Amino acid sequence: ASGISPESPQKYVEEISQLPKEKGWRGLQGLFLYKNFWFYPAFLKGALHARDHFQAQPTDIFLCSSMKTGTAWLKALSFTIATRGHRPSDDGLPSNGGSEIPLFASHLPYTCLPKSVIDSDCKIVYIRRDPKDTFVSMWFFLRKFVAGKNSTDVESFASIDEGFELFCKGLSSHGPYWEHILGYWEASIRRPEKILFLKYEDLLEDTQLWVKKLAEFFGCPFSAGEEREGVVKECSFESLRDLEVNKSGKHEKRGRVIENSAYFRKGVVGDWRNHLSDEMGKKIDVIMEEKLMGPGFTF
Ligand code: A3P
């Protein structure tokens, strides 16, 4: 969540050092188990700081997701929907409210969100994605992350087979992936008016429909005749990928330089078939069915 100082006090380092630890994906730091989820320490420091200090407001809107499930797209859509009609004009004059839309984004599992997020009863949108595509997207992204400036580091990174085995054991950033989904799914059943649960694949198949639903959920529905196509186009994979800031921009995360283009790889459903065998695909599907079919989940 935003508003978190990057300087994490020593107490969090000590708290993390007491937690159960497993080797992470080769080339990355170890994973630490906190409230039944695996975290890389840099994420966890922020989460603990947020736990102790983040104060949510009832008007806040949280965009929640596991890594590589379409977070940047959901952020773009949500911002574009919420600020339509009152964004800064091309002449650079200040916006009359767009920048004050209280949108936050988090990869935290539901049960690890700061207590005030739940207590404040603010709205949450959760996006999930087919685990096979999520895994492939994650592997390519983290490989780039590990490479940073130095491409030779790539050789030390987990092979796709190694990463896959760990992912299937739940050992991935904010994993187990299925538990992440389950937490929000169960919460969305308990609090449907406050938690909107969406699927990357549905969003891709009928973006206009979900843009309408998101706008209604945010409390700023489209009026009859107001067109949604502009929002859909503005946030399409090609539009976002081709923005200059995403083509040539970079940012630094935990001492490594990440090119913004890493967030816009292919943006399709089913790319896993180019990287995983049928057998591997089946293995994840079976795990997901076992873990998620129980509580009435439609897979
Ligand atoms: P791929 O790696 O499969 O291409 P996140 O934002 O959570 O990190 O997720 C990244 C994934 O979302 C990437 O998947 C990326 O290409 C895809 N993505 C980003 N913008 C998108 C868009 N506008 N439409 C569809 N997919 C998008």
Side-chain angles (χ1 to χ4, degrees):
S2 75
I4 304 304
S5 150
E7 312 302 331
S8 299
Q10 184 59 21
K11 64 174 181 169
Y12 297 128
V13 175
E14 277 159 26
E15 183 174 344
I16 292 170
S17 71
Q18 308 296 317
L19 297 171
K21 183 182 177 191
E22 282 285 342
K23 274 189 205 151
W25 294 21
R26 201 155 46 83
L28 295 169
Q29 285 177 289
L31 286 161
F32 290 82
L33 188 67
Y34 174 72
K35 290 192 168 182
N36 298 324
F37 286 92
W38 294 102
F39 293 90
Y40 287 108
F43 278 109
L44 193 47
K45 279 183 214 159
L48 297 178
H49 201 280
R51 175 196 67 191
D52 292 349
H53 300 289
F54 185 81
Q55 186 54 55
Q57 304 300 320
T59 47
D60 290 345
I61 297 172
F62 272 78
L63 308 176
C64 297
S65 60
S66 233
M67 277 180 65
K68 314 320 292 175
T69 57
T71 317
W73 186 22
L74 177 62
K75 284 187 197 172
L77 282 170
S78 302
F79 181 79
T80 309
I81 292 166
T83 61
R84 68 191 196 279
H86 50 87
R87 257 180 289 159
S89 52
D90 289 343
D91 60 12
L93 291 173
S95 89
N96 61 353
S99 59
E100 289 159 25
I101 302 291
L103 286 173
F104 294 87
S106 177
H107 285 318
L108 284 175
Y110 186 75
T111 46
C112 299
L113 286 172
K115 192 167 172 294
S116 76
V117 175
I118 312 296
D119 291 350
S120 68
D121 208 26
C122 60
K123 290 180 182 168
I124 295 174
V125 181
Y126 183 76
I127 185 162
R128 78 173 182 97
R129 187 181 189 189
D130 183 313
K132 305 183 283 303
D133 285 334
T134 303
F135 165 74
V136 167
S137 183
M138 188 186 289
W139 186 79
F140 277 104
F141 180 81
L142 290 176
R143 195 170 69 144
K144 276 203 166 164
F145 176 74
V146 166
K149 278 186 196 151
N150 184 356
S151 58
T152 56
D153 283 356
V154 161
E155 287 153 29
S156 69
F157 183 56
S159 69
I160 199 158
D161 288 0
E162 286 169 336
F164 178 80
E165 285 309 315
L166 293 170
F167 185 85
C168 288
K169 288 184 185 151
L171 286 162
S172 59
S173 185
H174 304 84
Y177 179 57
W178 49 90
E179 293 294 342
H180 202 286
I181 295 174
L182 204 53
Y184 283 94
W185 169 250
E186 288 175 345
S188 76
I189 291 173
R190 287 196 303 275
R191 304 168 55 211
E193 65 304 335
K194 292 292 179 181
I195 304 180
L196 182 69
F197 194 80
L198 34 119
K199 266 162 92 173
Y200 176 93
E201 294 76 16
D202 291 348
L203 196 55
L204 203 56
E205 191 178 314
D206 193 346
T207 315
Q208 281 218 29
L209 174 76
W210 286 95
V211 161
K212 179 171 174 278
K213 289 192 185 193
L214 277 167
E216 285 163 3
F217 183 73
F218 294 156
C220 55
F222 284 80
S223 53
E226 189 186 358
E227 62 107 22
R228 287 169 271 150
E229 188 53 26
V231 173
V232 174
K233 277 203 184 126
E234 212 174 316
C235 300
S236 74
F237 178 79
E238 290 73 20
S239 303
L240 297 181
R241 181 197 59 193
D242 294 344
L243 287 173
E244 198 49 48
V245 65
N246 290 334
K247 279 201 292 196
S248 56
K250 296 174 184 185
H251 63 282
E252 205 178 308
K253 229 180 202 175
R254 306 180 231 302
R256 306 209 189 236
V257 175
I258 304 184
E259 291 171 10
N260 295 347
S261 60
Y263 289 86
F264 305 94
R265 195 181 61 95
K266 282 195 176 172
V268 296
V269 172
D271 182 50
W272 69 270
R273 292 194 175 279
N274 298 316
H275 306 285
L276 304 180
S277 65
D278 286 351
E279 202 183 19
M280 290 160 103
K282 182 82 190 141
K283 180 169 173 171
I284 301 197
D285 284 348
V286 168
I287 293 173
M288 294 293 283
E289 277 164 22
E290 277 173 6
K291 306 285 181 186
L292 298 178
M293 286 301 261
F297 194 88
T298 43
F299 183 61

